[in-house]
Amino acid sequence: MLSGNLKKMSVSAENGKVQYVLTLGDNSVNVNELIGKKVALHFKGAINCVNCGRVTNKSFSQGFCFPCFKKLAACDSCMMSPEKCHFHLGTCREPEWAEKYCMQDHYVYLANSSGLKVGITRGDQLPTRWIDQGATQARALFRVSTRRMSGLVETLFKDQVADKTNWRNMLKGTPVELNLEYEQERLIGLLYDGLDSLQNEFGLQSIIDLSDENETHEFVYPVLEYPTKITSLNAEKTPEIEGVLMGIKGQYWMLDTGVINIRKYTGYQASLTF
């Protein structure tokens, strides 16, 4: 049995085959080795803030207590809408934190998870970000100078392509394979004027086109069988969750009794038996 505060699964991909490791407190387990076995997650009813460690009755922004949620830059609204970044206005909650995480190169990418989508992430989060979203294919489009710039570029694409994964569709199976190189050329052609305008405002080096040096990455997830019906398991309502682990995709466990988003319960005290 493993016991401790739950963290989102760490991920890696060797030759495109995704591997998952679950951490509970100081203990870890290779979850791929549990596929096909009966597992049980017991949620103990307590949550510790992932920043300050205090006990909280409710988790905000996937693992934070309310005071941290209100004061940390990592929980500010611009993290969900990076085009609204206000660092340049001098009103950032934590300028030093932003220098490290936001004022660094980011990537704008295309992915195929529940279908074609656009997204953004820091360079050191690839391919983790793609795997966390359950993408079977992904391709970086641009390297940009800041998180705010990634949001401004992503906003251009939102009129043409989705910017969110439909998690229910993502868990129903492998999506139809797409030609992401073609989609890249098509979308850049449609959005050329908007991209050119951003470069004129922020400088040529603010957006670097990766068309000539990039490749499409493909991922295979450890899944024995996809569910025919998506039944979401809620640890708040059902603290004892058990079943045969049929597969993992994104940050979701697919049990024969339903699906659970492990990342949603970051900071929750839990135990795992198998």
Side-chain angles (χ1 to χ4, degrees):
M1 182 177 74
L2 280 69
S3 183
N5 290 104
L6 196 63
K7 298 179 181 178
K8 89 176 186 75
M9 292 178 286
S10 59
V11 301
S12 61
E14 185 174 347
N15 298 321
K17 295 183 179 180
V18 178
Q19 295 287 324
Y20 288 95
V21 173
L22 178 73
T23 298
L24 275 167
D26 296 327
N27 305 299
S28 298
V29 61
N30 184 328
V31 195
N32 292 56
E33 297 177 357
L34 303 182
I35 302 293
K37 298 180 180 180
K38 186 172 183 179
V39 299
L41 269 174
H42 171 65
F43 290 86
K44 301 180 180 181
I47 310 168
N48 292 97
C49 175
V50 296
N51 179 63
C52 70
R54 68 160 56 95
V55 175
T56 175
N57 292 326
K58 184 177 180 181
S59 171
F60 296 85
S61 192
Q62 295 181 333
F64 296 91
C65 65
F66 188 69
C68 287
F69 172 73
K70 293 295 290 183
K71 74 179 183 182
L72 295 178
C75 300
D76 204 348
S77 59
C78 53
M79 296 308 292
M80 293 299 294
S81 302
E83 69 278 8
K84 298 179 182 178
C85 170
H86 46 96
F87 180 91
H88 60 292
L89 300 177
T91 54
C92 180
R93 291 179 176 181
E94 296 178 281
E96 291 185 4
W97 185 91
E99 286 280 4
K100 183 177 180 180
Y101 293 102
C102 301
M103 310 308 291
Q104 304 293 335
D105 283 356
H106 279 61
Y107 286 85
V108 181
Y109 63 83
L110 287 179
N112 183 12
S113 49
S114 57
L116 186 66
K117 73 174 291 290
V118 64
I120 65 168
T121 191
R122 290 197 317 272
D124 61 359
Q125 288 299 299
L126 295 180
T128 299
R129 180 64 172 165
W130 295 336
I131 295 171
D132 282 349
Q133 294 186 339
T136 54
Q137 298 172 277
R139 183 181 180 90
L141 301 178
F142 305 105
R143 185 176 70 249
V144 300
S145 55
T146 64
R147 183 172 176 82
R148 181 188 177 212
M149 179 59 65
S150 71
L152 293 173
V153 174
E154 183 186 41
T155 298
L156 293 177
F157 280 77
K158 287 180 183 179
D159 290 336
Q160 302 293 332
V161 64
D163 65 324
K164 292 181 174 59
T165 297
N166 183 319
W167 66 270
R168 290 182 177 274
N169 288 342
M170 183 266 288
L171 294 178
K172 289 180 179 178
T174 302
V176 175
E177 185 174 341
L178 299 174
N179 185 334
L180 295 189
E181 184 175 4
Y182 166 80
E183 295 295 345
Q184 174 178 342
E185 294 176 357
R186 180 181 69 86
L187 290 166
I188 290 177
L190 290 172
L191 301 170
Y192 178 83
D193 289 344
L195 293 167
D196 186 56
S197 178
L198 286 175
Q199 283 187 313
N200 286 336
E201 181 178 355
F202 293 97
L204 289 176
Q205 295 303 308
S206 63
I207 305 174
I208 305 298
D209 189 340
L210 300 176
S211 299
D212 296 332
E213 58 184 79
N214 199 18
E215 61 179 321
T216 296
H217 299 264
E218 298 184 349
F219 304 99
V220 178
Y221 294 86
V223 179
L224 288 180
E225 183 179 324
Y226 284 99
T228 55
K229 180 181 179 182
I230 306 297
T231 301
S232 181
L233 301 174
N234 187 333
E236 297 284 358
K237 298 178 180 179
T238 311
E240 296 277 357
I241 292 175
E242 61 181 24
V244 177
L245 183 59
M246 302 303 292
I248 316 167
K249 193 175 184 185
Q251 284 286 323
Y252 286 86
W253 284 15
M254 291 176 274
L255 306 169
D256 62 351
T257 54
V259 303
I260 180 169
N261 181 356
I262 296 298
R263 186 172 189 171
K264 179 179 178 180
Y265 299 103
T266 300
Y268 282 61
Q269 293 182 19
S271 62
L272 171 67
T273 56
F274 50 88

